[in-house]
Amino acid sequence: MFKKILIANRGEIALRIIYACRELGIQTVVAHSQADEHSLPVRFADQEVCIGPARSRDSYLNVPAIITAAEITGADAIHPGYGFLSESAYLAEACDACRITFIGPPADVLRLLGDKSRARRAMRKAGLPVIPGTESLKDVKAARRAARRLGYPVMIKASSGGGGKGMRIAPDAASFANMFQAAQTEAGAAFSDPDVYLEKCIVEPKHVEFQVFGDQYGRVVHLGERDCSIQRRHQKLIEEAPSPVLTPELREKMGEAAVKVAKGIDYVGAGTVEFLVDSDGSFYFIEMNTRIQVEHPVTEVTTGLDLVKEQIHVAAGEPLSFPSEIPQVRGHAIEFRVNAEDAFRNFAPCPGPITTFHPPGGPGVRLDTHLYSGYQVPPQYDSLLAKLIVSGRDRDETIVRARHALESFVIEGIKTTIPFLHEITQNDEF
């Protein structure tokens, strides 16, 4: 087992990794930017190292600075969390070269799945249903011809990265060029790779993903699904497990497909295979995320497993800790992402000071957050403030608990998405 892990991330996921390491008796180092000097992860880690100024590319995306921080503190592993460099083959290769363990899949797997168009090709070859689409495209004229062949509306998506960045829907030919260029620009800024590809847009689909885990001994399992259909700007707002739209037969078919994806590439560690489900029950592979997900707590709550600890065990060369059968899913869980945004002004970012912070409580309530009264929400990073995870015996009980938890969750000083999330829980369609 590792003696010391460097956490190359910030916010609630950095704190979550610290807690897992404490339970395992592993020391932690937080590599942070100047903007996060007064954050809770910096306060609670055993050591902290400033790796650069506030801009992500100068700190959290700076591979040489992160490797240097690990070397000077004596860390024998790096946990990248989610976002930033969590799916970076470059960081994984740098870790290998410096004999530091990267807590994630090998670099060749990251490279394959990090290029979404290559991944689609590999999955099609493996026999999985894939949404009709293209390879990576750079030229807008060629992209226009491809869009005509696919038929509008089309989805324009970044070849690298995820999280909804570099993604646009072009409803018709008149809007295509502007959407294509905007997606390229955003993809280049977010992932240092402006390449994009096209997919046929499935109208009103359900977004369902399966949590998979593989170890270094060839064992791969799935831990059930999460429904992530409620989104804004192609980024998830609410996730739940199990999915309310899957039949037992469809769940079994999709779970088998997810395991087939992971086994086919000798996957090691935590991963998520994402699908779109059409209204007729057809499902299509869209991508595989090679990291811990923001929404991993709903799987933890419904299976009783600690997925971050499991990541660390597997990276240390240990077999999966749970029995050979898939863990039984118990009850229902829903995660609400609380962001520093004004949902009633087109989700405008709202950085600033937290003047009052009162977390919710009660049966079946879990809160993953790095907030405290007096915390200054920086403008440079993702707006995620907290993840409210609510569970119950069934979906109805979980929704009732969620309403009460959101009503008692107080964050003042800035606008947040709490009122909007509460409205959703009272919507009849939800």
Side-chain angles (χ1 to χ4, degrees):
M1 183 50 72
F2 308 114
K3 293 181 179 178
K4 185 183 291 186
I5 291 176
L6 181 131
I7 301 164
N9 216 299
R10 63 178 303 277
E12 68 84 19
I13 189 60
L15 209 54
R16 173 72 182 84
I17 297 166
I18 289 171
Y19 295 154
C21 288
R22 281 187 176 178
E23 289 189 31
L24 294 171
I26 300 171
Q27 289 192 312
T28 54
V29 184
V30 166
H32 66 91
S33 73
Q34 290 174 350
D36 286 325
E37 181 182 359
H38 301 292
S39 68
L40 287 186
V42 170
R43 178 175 178 179
F44 292 145
D46 296 295
Q47 288 179 265
E48 51 89 10
V49 178
C50 183
I51 53 172
R55 284 197 309 181
S56 297
R57 70 180 184 184
D58 297 325
S59 51
Y60 296 110
L61 295 175
N62 187 336
V63 171
I66 289 168
I67 293 293
T68 300
E71 289 182 325
I72 64 174
T73 58
D76 47 358
I78 291 177
H79 198 308
Y82 54 70
F84 294 131
L85 293 169
S86 60
E87 298 178 283
S88 169
Y90 175 28
L91 176 58
E93 288 171 339
C95 286
D96 288 343
C98 297
R99 298 183 180 179
I100 299 168
T101 300
F102 177 80
I103 299 179
D108 59 340
V109 173
L110 288 167
R111 192 173 290 106
L112 168 66
L113 296 174
D115 184 328
K116 306 304 181 187
S117 57
R118 279 186 65 204
R120 284 163 44 84
R121 188 164 61 245
M123 298 310 145
R124 191 182 295 112
K125 186 177 179 181
L128 264 73
V130 176
I131 298 173
T134 70
E135 302 295 315
S136 293
L137 296 164
K138 293 183 174 68
D139 179 67
V140 68
K141 290 183 180 179
R144 267 204 183 107
R145 291 194 295 270
R148 281 199 298 272
R149 287 196 301 271
L150 290 171
Y152 290 98
V154 295
M155 184 81 78
I156 307 164
K157 302 177 75 173
S159 293
S160 300
K165 300 287 173 48
M167 188 182 296
R168 296 289 189 278
I169 294 176
D172 49 42
S175 63
F176 182 80
N178 287 340
M179 294 293 185
F180 185 82
Q181 290 163 357
Q184 284 184 314
T185 300
E186 189 174 37
F191 313 117
S192 300
D193 178 5
D195 284 6
V196 297
Y197 66 97
L198 306 186
E199 279 183 350
K200 176 65 181 172
C201 186
I202 307 295
V203 180
E204 295 187 1
K206 297 300 181 183
H207 186 142
V208 179
E209 62 188 25
F210 276 74
Q211 176 73 61
V212 296
F213 243 103
D215 63 22
Q216 297 178 25
Y217 306 96
R219 186 172 162 224
V220 178
V221 300
H222 80 76
L223 306 179
E225 84 280 1
R226 298 182 290 254
D227 193 302
C228 309
S229 301
I230 299 179
Q231 304 182 11
R232 62 95 174 86
R233 296 174 182 165
H234 309 297
Q235 290 185 308
K236 301 161 187 172
L237 278 177
I238 298 174
E239 304 96 353
E240 60 182 299
S243 169
V245 301
L246 296 192
T247 63
E249 295 77 18
L250 186 54
R251 178 174 291 111
E252 184 176 357
K253 286 174 62 177
M254 293 178 70
E256 289 174 354
V259 170
K260 183 179 181 181
V261 168
K263 279 189 173 179
I265 53 175
D266 299 321
Y267 194 81
V268 175
T272 303
V273 184
E274 306 210 5
F275 299 98
L276 288 185
V277 181
D278 211 341
S279 56
D280 63 359
S282 302
F283 65 93
Y284 304 92
F285 169 86
I286 44 177
E287 64 181 2
M288 182 172 181
N289 290 316
T290 54
R291 51 177 164 79
I292 197 76
Q293 294 280 98
V294 177
E295 57 272 21
H296 76 271
V298 294
T299 299
E300 292 185 327
V301 168
T302 53
T303 62
L305 298 170
D306 186 319
L307 301 191
V308 177
K309 285 166 64 175
E310 201 66 40
Q311 278 189 297
I312 295 169
H313 282 300
V314 166
E318 300 176 13
L320 292 173
S321 68
F322 40 85
S324 57
E325 66 270 15
I326 298 169
Q328 182 181 356
V329 172
R330 294 181 175 86
H332 201 92
I334 306 177
E335 176 181 292
F336 299 85
R337 297 193 192 189
V338 176
N339 295 293
E341 297 173 349
D342 187 345
F344 304 105
R345 291 181 51 242
N346 197 28
F347 296 96
C350 296
I354 303 295
T355 57
T356 303
F357 175 67
H358 177 76
V365 175
R366 165 178 164 178
L367 186 69
D368 287 15
T369 186
H370 58 292
L371 291 190
Y372 58 87
S373 293
Y375 176 70
Q376 184 80 25
V377 178
Q380 294 91 352
Y381 310 117
D382 185 89
S383 63
L384 183 66
L385 299 176
K387 302 183 319 195
L388 174 63
I389 305 99
V390 185
S391 58
R393 289 170 296 181
D394 52 33
R395 192 170 190 267
D396 288 342
E397 182 177 72
T398 304
I399 290 173
V400 171
R401 288 179 171 178
R403 288 172 183 158
H404 294 317
L406 288 164
E407 285 170 357
S408 62
F409 194 178
V410 179
I411 300 175
E412 294 180 344
I414 61 170
K415 296 281 188 180
T416 75
T417 52
I418 292 174
F420 179 70
L421 294 169
H422 186 259
E423 279 195 15
I424 290 175
T425 65
Q426 306 205 59
N427 183 282
D428 289 339
E429 288 188 41
F430 178 73

